[in-house]
Amino acid sequence: MKNISAEIVAVGTELLLGQIANTNAQWISEKLASIGINVHHHSVVGDNLKRVENQFRVSGDRSDVLIITGGLGPTEDDLTREAFQQITGMGIVEHEPSMRKIEAYFQNQIADMTPNNRKQARVFTGADVIENQTGMAPGMIVSFERKTWIFLPGVPREMKRMMTDNVLPHLQYLSGADTVIKSSMLRFIGIGESSLEHELSDLIQCQTNPTIAPLAQNEGVAIRLTAKADNDEEATAVIDRTKQEILDRVGGYYYGDDDQTLAEKVLELLQQTNKSVGAAESLTGGQFTDKLISVPGASNVCRGGIVCYDTKVKERVLHVKPELIQQYGTVSKECALSMAENVCSLLDADIGISFTGVAGPDYSEGHPPGTVFIAVYTTSGKQQAEKYTFQGDRQTIRKRTVLKGYELLYNLLK
């Protein structure tokens, strides 16, 4: 297998302005890794002819395969073709099959085609043209000075179809790939990244195949295992062996693999145990319930939620006794437990969970921002109330509170 270095260049000022995220580069990198091609650089350049030209020169000097996304549209700021022509001198011609497709599109839409749409059918002389099955502008594969240049539309659905159907098979042939690279994510909750790394330090230091990479994530921490093998089955076996070694040590914190979220895992456990849950949310404002009902199948286990931000709502809707609030305050274990028990009864759920605290930026009831109480109550008689102190701004505190609530539920259900 040839050792090929690849670079992904995204063209578009909207990416630099933060108006859209460069998800194309992430997706392409993942697909290239699966066929053993290493991506050494991600680059983003705005819609400026000179800057695009300069970026192409830099990228062409350092990479073997250049995948360019964007800048193939009909407008004046779509400059990818022009920039590449500047550095190569290649001719550009109109690709008749693509032009016929563009004309047919406007005829079917009963709309006039403006002249600038002809630009989308322009391709480099001698290019291997890739038909756009889901849009207008075709893609291209071009060889120049022993480098492979691949031009793709920036629209994700168009790019992905071309990559899957045409580009990946071409690159696999080009590299003589006989090696499979496969990755798997192991997800953990309730343990920090440094603690996880400490528990696995000897495995990490001696890693060869698979590689072991601890990662901080939005939901807990994760370990990415990446294996190389002759085929998918062998790669899976390599990963599974190391995964078991890891779980033998820290399996108590493990909740799932790959893209599984903690909310999905909690819903799965609720279904397995035939339990339902209802939530009373003060500072979280419905985020816990929203996260759960975003998962398909939630209607079977989620009774609903009550957003009880105001003290009067806690008293009149949730029936938290006024004297309890007067004695302990709304930011307290006692109030949290009462909220959890009462929402369990009001919503006819097996489990009630509640959230109360101070998201900030100001103190409340003498408590600093980040002071949070979470309580869980079950009809079987279990109850738990915990105090936490979270750091961060208002939104970060709320997100961490929701995540901690899912952690409590996960530990209760598992």
Side-chain angles (χ1 to χ4, degrees), residues 239-353:
I239 287 174
D240 286 346
R241 284 195 296 270
T242 302
K243 174 182 176 179
Q244 190 56 55
E245 285 187 79
I246 291 170
L247 296 187
D248 287 342
R249 301 187 188 191
V250 291
Y253 303 102
Y254 164 79
Y255 72 82
D257 294 320
D258 297 323
D259 295 327
Q260 186 171 41
T261 67
L262 191 55
E264 289 172 343
K265 187 63 179 182
V266 165
L267 187 143
E268 179 185 305
L269 292 173
L270 286 167
Q271 291 174 328
Q272 290 175 359
T273 56
N274 197 28
K275 302 292 184 184
S276 60
V277 65
E281 302 192 57
S282 184
L283 85 157
T284 51
Q287 288 187 7
F288 173 88
T289 305
D290 178 69
K291 203 172 188 70
L292 187 60
I293 64 177
S294 297
V295 182
S299 59
N300 298 322
V301 299
C302 181
R303 290 286 185 262
I306 296 174
V307 177
C308 48
Y309 198 62
D310 188 81
T311 300
K312 295 299 183 184
V313 178
K314 293 180 177 71
E315 294 175 352
R316 297 172 185 174
V317 178
L318 270 182
H319 307 310
V320 178
K321 294 178 180 179
E323 51 267 33
L324 183 149
I325 292 177
Q326 290 171 6
Q327 182 176 358
Y328 299 105
T330 60
V331 185
S332 65
K333 283 186 178 182
E334 290 78 9
C335 184
L337 273 173
S338 180
M339 289 165 60
E341 180 178 358
N342 293 356
V343 80
C344 191
S345 175
L346 286 166
L347 299 184
D348 190 29
D350 300 301
I351 302 169
I353 185 168

Side-chain angles (χ1 to χ4, degrees), residues 37-103:
I37 293 179
N38 298 312
V39 176
H40 290 174
H41 300 279
H42 283 184
S43 302
V44 180
V45 61
D47 299 309
N48 176 280
L49 182 61
K50 195 63 181 177
R51 286 196 286 270
V52 176
E53 180 186 335
N54 289 340
Q55 182 61 60
F56 285 178
R57 291 185 189 279
V58 171
S59 300
D61 285 342
R62 67 189 179 190
S63 301
D64 303 312
V65 171
L66 296 303
I67 298 179
I68 317 299
T69 62
L72 299 179
T75 61
E76 288 186 7
D77 61 356
D78 288 307
L79 301 167
T80 293
R81 299 179 192 84
E82 290 76 5
F84 189 66
Q85 186 181 45
Q86 287 285 87
I87 66 174
T88 64
M90 281 189 174
I92 298 179
V93 297
E94 186 171 280
H95 186 242
E96 290 186 12
S98 296
M99 193 64 245
R100 289 196 297 269
K101 182 176 181 179
I102 293 170
E103 290 172 337

